[in-house]
């Protein structure tokens, strides 16, 4: 019931910044960011729960900031101080259940946007 479209990926040097966006066709879902690096499984990145609290994976704390614009049904991810290990395909996901979303089992996924960080 929801379509997700990510944008904002690209190639940057270590220490650079990127801002990702995820536009959803519906507002009735919790949303979050995930990523998958070459040869590795999916990893949680950031999300916002029902109370508006923000959650981050330890590896991105202090560098990434998740935010949302509910009027636009859009989720953002500001990525600063990027490192080569941040290189991955970044996905936006959504689910009617926040806990299911954060458990890496969301009902809906976007197509992804590539982020490449060189040293």
């Amino acid at each position: 019931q929801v379509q997700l479209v990510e944008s904002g990926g690209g190639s940057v040097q270590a220490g650079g910044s990127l801002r990702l966006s995820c536009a959803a066709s519906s507002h009735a879902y919790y949303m979050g960011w995930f990523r998958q690096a070459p040869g590795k499984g999916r990893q949680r990145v950031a999300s916002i729960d029902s109370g508006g609290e923000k959650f981050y994976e330890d590896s991105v704390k202090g560098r990434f900031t998740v935010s949302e614009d509910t009027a636009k049904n859009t989720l953002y991810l500001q990525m600063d101080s990027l490192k080569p290990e941040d290189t991955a395909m970044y996905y936006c996901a959504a689910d009617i259940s926040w806990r299911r979303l954060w458990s890496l089992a969301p009902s809906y996924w976007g197509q992804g946007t590539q982020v490449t960080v060189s040293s």
Side-chain angles (χ1 to χ4, degrees):
Q1 295 185 19
V2 62
Q3 296 177 357
L4 305 170
V5 181
E6 304 98 330
S7 63
S11 181
V12 299
Q13 294 287 321
S17 299
L18 285 172
R19 183 175 176 83
L20 307 184
S21 298
C22 173
S25 61
S26 175
H27 65 272
Y29 300 87
Y30 296 107
M31 299 168 64
W33 289 101
F34 302 81
R35 66 186 181 186
Q36 184 169 16
K40 299 181 179 180
R42 288 175 296 175
Q43 179 185 33
R44 291 183 290 247
V45 177
S47 187
I48 303 176
D49 73 6
S50 60
E53 295 187 13
K54 301 176 181 180
F55 293 82
Y56 300 95
E57 198 67 15
D58 288 343
S59 62
V60 307
K61 288 182 178 177
R63 300 188 298 117
F64 291 10
T65 303
V66 64
S67 61
E68 63 183 350
D69 185 334
T70 56
K72 297 181 179 180
N73 297 330
T74 302
L75 188 72
Y76 302 96
L77 184 67
Q78 178 66 44
M79 305 185 292
D80 298 318
S81 301
L82 284 163
K83 304 175 180 179
E85 50 262 47
D86 292 318
T87 294
M89 182 70 76
Y90 283 70
Y91 298 92
C92 177
D95 199 286
I96 193 69
S97 167
W98 183 84
R99 293 192 180 280
R100 186 187 300 142
L101 169 76
W102 203 235
S103 295
L104 291 170
S107 297
Y108 306 95
W109 293 92
Q111 294 300 305
T113 184
Q114 180 67 40
V115 171
T116 301
V117 185
S118 61
S119 59

